[in-house]
Amino acid sequence: MSIRIAVIGAGLMGADHAKIVAEDIPGATLQVICDMDAARAKSIADACGAKDTDSDPEGVITRADVDAVIVASPDFTHAPLSKACIAAGKRVMCEKPLSQSSAECLEVMEAEQAAGARHVMLGFMRRYDQSYVEMRAALAKGDLGRALMMHNFHRNVETPAADFTGAMAITNSAPHEFDVARHVLGTEYTSITAHQPRRSDDRVAPVVMVLETTDGQLVTIEINNNAAYGYDVRAELVGEDGSIAINNVAYTRTDSRLSSSTRYDADWRGRYHEAYVRQNRAFAAFVQTGHFPAIASDCWDGYCAAVVAETGVTALRSGMKQTVEMIAQPAFYATPKGIGA
Ligand code: ISE
């Protein structure tokens, strides 16, 4: 059956998801683009061939012609709309974060457990990026020996908003690393420290974090939202017998005038396009089969990222190492995830 998908939010990410649903998800129909800004919803709907537009997020979720939902509206709407999807019995792919509040993540987890079935897939798309897939497989295969450290840096060209802060680097950008490092290592975090260097201007300085894991490993994360030179996300996993590093991904190299150069993407949409496509195809399969994808992130992963981010902000503000304190993983989320990638 063709699944009819509504995309809630016609901003940067909503437009990207709408295009992917329209062009790259076999067996899916882009049914509705929903945004409070009717003109913006119509513009994306016209560009992507959506069947309809709407301006009522809660109403769209219950529409009879909508089988599943992608939530790409502002962060503060993610948890309430995910709960509304659960209440309506609709599966949802919610863009990260599930919530910046761990308490609110727990509310969504409680609603999903009460419903007795998985409804929420979370949009930590790095798990579908080929570089992290290969990194995780190399560790699982034993090529590296036991994992000791994972070094990560995540550099944006410039902050997405003028009022961006160091704390927001931890709550908005770093959750990608918080999630993908624990996914690759198969572990949880026990502590975090966070520091910033001083810039010579008034732009937000990088944030450098060191996290300890329950398996005695170290994870280092640099978030630099004002790197200037390009969108550059890399990592290196260091084992007792070897290491594996993520290259900058560039399809071409230009050689001329005694020099050689490759280009960086301007932002994450180009660098992770294939990951978004794989993620959204996995979501469509989840909707059609009910099998939650084996490597997808869920509400528990959203809760873990929120707890570590909240603790990281405390560490940054206090200048002191902070203990990461989480609830025990509910059995509902401990069961092995579905089949396939
Ligand atoms: C943004 O919200 C994202 O999710 C991007 O993937 C990330 O690279 C960027 O730093 C965030 O601001």
Side-chain angles (χ1 to χ4, degrees):
M1 74 173 188
S2 178
I3 51 168
R4 298 161 297 178
I5 295 177
V7 175
I8 298 177
L12 212 56
M13 285 314 303
D16 233 35
H17 282 298
K19 190 169 186 293
I20 290 171
V21 170
E23 298 177 2
D24 297 302
I25 314 293
T29 301
L30 181 61
Q31 193 72 8
V32 186
I33 301 292
C34 177
D35 197 284
M36 311 290 269
D37 178 337
R40 190 162 77 164
K42 185 178 186 313
S43 166
I44 301 300
D46 290 348
C48 298
K51 302 286 187 196
D52 196 3
T53 61
D54 203 312
S55 60
D56 171 13
E58 303 275 346
V60 156
I61 290 169
T62 57
R63 280 175 58 149
D65 65 339
V66 169
D67 303 308
V69 178
I70 292 179
V71 170
S73 41
D75 289 4
F76 71 91
T77 67
H78 291 184
L81 290 178
S82 293
K83 283 191 283 188
C85 287
I86 294 168
K90 303 281 177 80
R91 292 191 173 110
V92 54
M93 208 294 286
C94 179
E95 260 296 337
K96 52 68 72 180
L98 179 62
S99 174
Q100 293 195 7
S101 156
S102 59
E104 198 174 34
C105 291
L106 289 175
E107 290 173 13
V108 186
M109 287 168 61
E110 281 154 21
E112 190 172 36
Q113 292 172 84
R118 288 180 171 270
H119 286 71
V120 184
M121 181 170 153
L122 195 54
F124 282 125
M125 83 295 177
R126 300 265 188 92
R127 292 169 174 234
Y128 286 91
D129 180 64
Q130 188 59 22
S131 55
Y132 291 103
V133 169
E134 291 184 14
M135 179 178 275
R136 187 167 180 255
L139 181 61
K141 192 160 152 273
D143 294 352
L144 312 175
R146 178 180 168 273
L148 280 173
M149 301 173 285
M150 186 171 172
H151 302 298
N152 304 269
F153 61 74
H154 173 172
R155 297 172 177 165
N156 285 275
V157 174
E158 57 183 0
T159 46
D163 59 352
F164 209 81
T165 64
M168 288 169 71
I170 297 174
T171 59
N172 176 275
S173 299
H176 283 294
E177 276 73 23
F178 295 149
D179 178 70
V180 80
R182 56 185 279 278
H183 172 65
V184 166
L185 295 173
T187 186
E188 298 298 353
Y189 301 114
T190 56
S191 75
I192 184 169
T193 56
H195 303 279
Q196 286 184 283
R198 180 175 48 78
R199 283 187 62 110
S200 60
D201 57 21
D202 59 358
R203 290 176 174 270
V204 177
V207 179
V208 176
M209 291 161 274
V210 179
L211 298 96
E212 294 171 304
T213 76
T214 48
D215 294 345
Q217 297 137 338
L218 289 179
V219 174
T220 66
I221 301 173
E222 172 208 315
I223 304 290
N224 184 352
N225 292 99
N226 285 294
Y229 67 84
Y231 184 73
D232 186 11
V233 174
R234 283 176 273 168
E236 180 174 12
L237 176 50
V238 182
E240 293 177 353
D241 302 334
S243 76
I244 183 169
I246 292 175
N247 301 316
N248 173 50
V249 175
Y251 290 109
T252 58
R253 183 191 72 235
T254 302
D255 297 319
S256 73
R257 299 191 186 89
L258 304 182
S259 69
S260 177
S261 68
T262 57
R263 290 186 57 77
Y264 286 98
D265 284 296
D267 66 33
W268 59 90
R269 292 170 296 167
R271 167 63 185 79
Y272 290 111
H273 177 70
E274 183 56 32
Y276 280 113
V277 172
R278 290 182 180 182
Q279 171 190 262
N280 289 9
R281 284 179 178 169
F283 173 62
F286 169 44
V287 175
Q288 287 165 329
T289 68
H291 288 297
F292 193 83
I295 65 169
S297 54
D298 59 18
C299 289
W300 168 252
D301 301 311
Y303 164 75
C304 292
V307 169
V308 178
E310 287 168 341
T311 312
V313 170
T314 304
L316 180 67
R317 288 175 175 157
S318 68
M320 307 286 287
K321 179 162 88 168
Q322 299 293 321
T323 300
V324 175
E325 293 175 338
M326 302 194 306
I327 66 165
Q329 185 183 38
F332 180 90
Y333 293 103
T335 50
K337 292 175 178 175
I339 55 177

